[in-house]
């Protein structure tokens, strides 16, 4: 059961071609994107056939069609690499040449592509065609199968993707790690400003000081402040531009690198939205695309999350409406490591205990609990022992990372818009977070030496 929403170059040809099929059937030829979404919402069809020139087609719409249990198949000109690449960046797993015969269309429309992921951004989608010029003879049938299923490993007869030399698209940025994608570390904490941004910024700078290429992303849709903490201008937030490009299918590694300027050696920063009212620009599918691509830009991606874990989709009449907390929930679901930050005073500890209970209901790894601003004045003598006993009793947490309070160093860093490594390298806060950074990357804590000097912008 196929729904078609194609541009003028393909509409009549594909419809005429599929009318002669005994395997697939067109149930509706949609005039535009709104017609396609409405028809899919009515439960008609199992496959949507779209083209890149469909007005309004974006990553969020493709994700919405997938939520409606529709597989999405694209149609593009066989020699139009740009259209093919954009369809894959929009989340379309399979792309069929518009001039293909009926058997190729039937194979693509009947395959199970609902749960498949698109290939990585920047993949040489026309590598089979380019490979023929590198001295590799490509079988036409094998070339068609590769174009339909780019994740299928090539056989010995087909040769390596992109020919013997492994061609790379023009403008491709070499990933930080060729072995595996980077890890995502989500820094979360309950309401009440327990110091999420302070921990996230310090953690990212310490990871960079350890020689680990790091990307710091501000995904807080309530009160993002990474830009202010590091003296970046927030008139053009990087996260908004990146998610907008991802939604339109134009985000690639070079563009993300331009939107994530270098703050210090080894550290790139994607600034957050300056006003909370702009949260609608951070859509979940687009943010997922940004974070997935950021894994190739750095070995560790540190994400400063918002506090709210409420799935407000349940409160919305339209379940396809944007969700304010989707940015936090999406980040936590993608994270390889979650750092839960809480304060040291009684009110903050109570919020942390309740927040950890809510966090346990969210899909994600077991969190590393960090208690920030540890000081005797808040809970009495021996604060580490008292806080550890409280968290063990009420939250079942036995492993706690304590970050001492150093208001003078933190105030100086915030006033100058620099990291602790730059303006207060001997701060005990930095020493504690350095141990957390070493734990994240699995290296020994560097003792007896100062972290390398970070250049000021």
């Amino acid at each position: 059961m196929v729904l078609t929403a194609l541009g003028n170059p393909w509409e009549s040809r594909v419809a005429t071609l599929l009318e002669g099929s005994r395997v697939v059937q067109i149930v509706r030829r949609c005039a535009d994107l709104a017609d396609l979404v409405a028809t899919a919402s009515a439960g008609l069809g199992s496959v949507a056939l779209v083209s890149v020139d469909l007005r309004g087609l974006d990553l969020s719409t493709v994700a919405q069609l997938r939520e409606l249990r529709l597989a999405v198949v694209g149609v593009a000109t066989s020699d139009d690499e740009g259209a093919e690449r954009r369809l894959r960046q929009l989340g379309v797993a399979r792309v069929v040449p518009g001039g293909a015969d009926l058997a190729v269309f039937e194979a693509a429309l009947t395959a199970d592509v609902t749960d498949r992921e698109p290939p990585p951004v920047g993949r040489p989608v026309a590598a089979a065609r380019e490979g023929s010029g590198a001295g590799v003879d490509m079988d036409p049938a094998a070339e068609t199968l590769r174009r339909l299923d780019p994740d299928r490993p090539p056989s010995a007869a087909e040769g390596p993707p992109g020919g013997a030399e492994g061609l790379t698209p023009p403008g491709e940025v070499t990933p930080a790690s060729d072995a595996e994608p980077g890890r995502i570390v989500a820094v979360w904490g309950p309401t009440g400003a327990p110091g999420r941004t302070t921990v996230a910024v310090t953690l990212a700078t310490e990871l960079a000081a350890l020689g680990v290429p790091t990307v710091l992303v501000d995904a807080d849709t309530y009160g993002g402040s990474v830009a202010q903490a590091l003296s970046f201008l927030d008139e053009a937030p990087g996260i908004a531009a990146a998610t907008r490009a991802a939604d339109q299918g134009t985000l690639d590694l070079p563009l993300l690198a331009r939107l994530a300027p270098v703050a210090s050696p080894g550290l790139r920063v994607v600034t957050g939205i300056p006003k909370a009212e702009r949260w609608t620009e951070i859509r979940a599918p687009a943010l997922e695309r940004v974070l997935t691509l950021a894994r190739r830009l750095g070995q560790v991606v540190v994400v400063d999350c918002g506090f709210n874990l409420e799935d407000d989709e349940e409160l919305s009449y339209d379940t396809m409406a944007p969700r304010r907390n989707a940015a936090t929930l999406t980040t936590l679901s993608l994270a390889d490591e979650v750092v839960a930050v809480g304060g040291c005073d009684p009110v903050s500890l109570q919020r942390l205990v309740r927040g950890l209970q809510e966090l346990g209901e969210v899909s994600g790894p077991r969190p590393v609990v960090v208690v920030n601003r540890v000081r005797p004045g808040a809970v009495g003598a021996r604060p580490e022992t008292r806080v550890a006993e409280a968290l063990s009793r009420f939250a079942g947490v036995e492993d706690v990372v304590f970050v001492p309070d150093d208001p003078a160093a933190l105030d100086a860093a915030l006033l100058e818009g620099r990291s602790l490594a730059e303006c207060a390298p001997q701060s005990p806060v930095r020493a504690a977070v350095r141990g957390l950074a070493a734990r994240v990357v699995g290296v020994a804590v560097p003792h007896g030496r100062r972290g390398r000097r970070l250049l000021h912008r």
Side-chain angles (χ1 to χ4, degrees):
M1 308 293 283
V2 179
L3 306 176
T4 63
L6 304 171
N8 292 328
W10 310 117
E11 175 67 24
S12 58
R13 181 189 184 278
V14 172
T16 303
L17 190 66
L18 295 183
E19 284 179 357
S21 174
R22 297 183 179 180
V23 180
V24 297
Q25 177 185 359
I26 297 179
V27 295
R28 184 175 180 84
R29 296 169 62 179
C30 302
D32 51 23
L33 186 62
D35 190 9
L36 174 62
V37 174
T39 306
S41 301
L44 301 178
S46 58
V47 183
L49 193 61
V50 300
S51 59
V52 72
D53 56 349
L54 178 61
R55 185 182 298 273
L57 184 66
D58 55 23
L59 185 64
S60 299
T61 304
V62 174
Q64 180 178 350
L65 293 175
R66 290 183 180 278
E67 291 179 0
L68 295 172
R69 307 306 300 170
L70 257 73
V72 183
V73 178
V75 177
T77 307
S78 58
D79 58 351
D80 190 351
E81 182 179 346
E84 191 175 353
R85 183 188 301 275
R86 182 169 181 268
L87 283 171
R88 298 196 189 282
Q89 290 177 334
L90 291 177
V92 179
R94 294 192 177 186
V95 180
V96 183
D101 56 19
L102 179 60
V104 174
F105 272 94
E106 289 178 340
L109 295 174
T110 56
D112 183 13
V113 297
T114 303
D115 298 326
R116 298 201 42 139
E117 293 292 335
V121 179
R123 180 181 182 131
V125 295
R129 294 187 295 273
E130 297 174 356
S132 61
V136 179
D137 295 331
M138 296 297 299
D139 180 20
E143 182 179 357
T144 301
L145 288 175
R146 177 171 293 170
R147 186 178 293 114
L148 289 177
D149 190 358
D151 295 330
R152 182 180 63 87
S155 63
E158 296 173 23
E165 301 182 36
L167 300 178
T168 303
E172 180 71 16
V173 175
T174 303
S177 175
D178 295 331
E180 58 183 9
R183 304 174 67 238
I184 294 179
V185 179
V187 180
W188 172 87
T191 185
R196 293 182 301 269
T197 300
T198 299
V199 173
V201 171
T202 308
L203 176 61
T205 55
E206 292 305 319
L207 286 169
L210 290 174
V212 180
T214 305
V215 180
L216 175 60
V217 180
D218 189 350
D220 188 349
T221 56
Y222 286 89
S225 55
V226 170
Q228 291 83 352
L230 293 177
S231 298
F232 279 94
L233 297 177
D234 60 358
E235 284 82 358
I239 189 67
T243 52
R244 183 165 54 249
D247 209 27
Q248 298 299 322
T250 60
L251 183 67
D252 55 11
L253 205 58
L255 177 56
L256 181 60
R258 291 196 296 271
L259 296 175
V262 176
S264 60
L267 176 62
R268 292 179 176 270
V269 178
V270 180
T271 57
I273 54 176
K275 296 182 179 180
E277 63 189 22
R278 298 183 60 179
W279 66 267
T280 54
E281 301 179 31
I282 316 300
R283 302 293 183 95
L287 179 62
E288 180 177 355
R289 190 67 167 170
V290 171
L291 295 181
T292 301
L293 192 58
R295 290 176 182 265
R296 301 177 59 201
L297 197 59
Q299 291 183 12
V300 178
V301 182
V302 179
V303 186
D304 184 10
C305 302
F307 69 92
N308 201 334
L309 300 178
E310 181 182 11
D311 190 359
D312 46 10
E313 183 180 11
E314 297 177 356
L315 306 178
S316 175
Y317 176 79
D318 182 4
T319 58
M320 295 301 174
R323 296 177 297 154
R324 182 167 192 171
N325 304 326
T328 299
L329 297 175
T330 299
T331 302
L332 292 174
S333 65
L334 294 174
D336 302 288
E337 189 98 36
V338 175
V339 176
V341 182
C344 181
D345 59 273
V347 175
S348 298
L349 287 174
Q350 183 187 45
R351 290 171 174 171
L352 177 61
V353 170
R354 294 179 177 177
L356 290 175
Q357 295 175 352
E358 297 177 4
L359 188 63
E361 301 175 359
V362 178
S363 174
R366 185 178 181 85
V368 176
V369 178
V370 175
V371 177
N372 192 29
R373 299 188 61 193
V374 177
R375 58 201 186 279
V379 293
R382 298 183 297 114
E384 290 86 356
T385 302
R386 291 175 177 268
V387 171
E389 291 175 352
L391 291 178
S392 175
R393 177 181 177 183
F394 296 106
V397 176
E398 303 295 340
D399 185 11
V400 183
V401 177
F402 295 99
V403 178
D405 191 21
D406 190 359
L410 293 173
D411 289 345
L414 188 60
L415 179 62
E416 299 179 18
R418 299 191 299 170
S419 65
L420 285 174
E422 294 175 299
C423 64
Q426 302 302 321
S427 171
V429 176
R430 187 195 174 198
V433 180
R434 186 192 304 128
L436 177 61
R439 175 176 176 174
V440 167
V441 295
V443 300
V445 180
H447 293 288
R449 68 178 184 90
R450 298 175 60 179
R452 67 181 186 184
R453 179 180 178 84
L454 301 180
L455 298 179
H456 185 55
R457 293 165 300 284

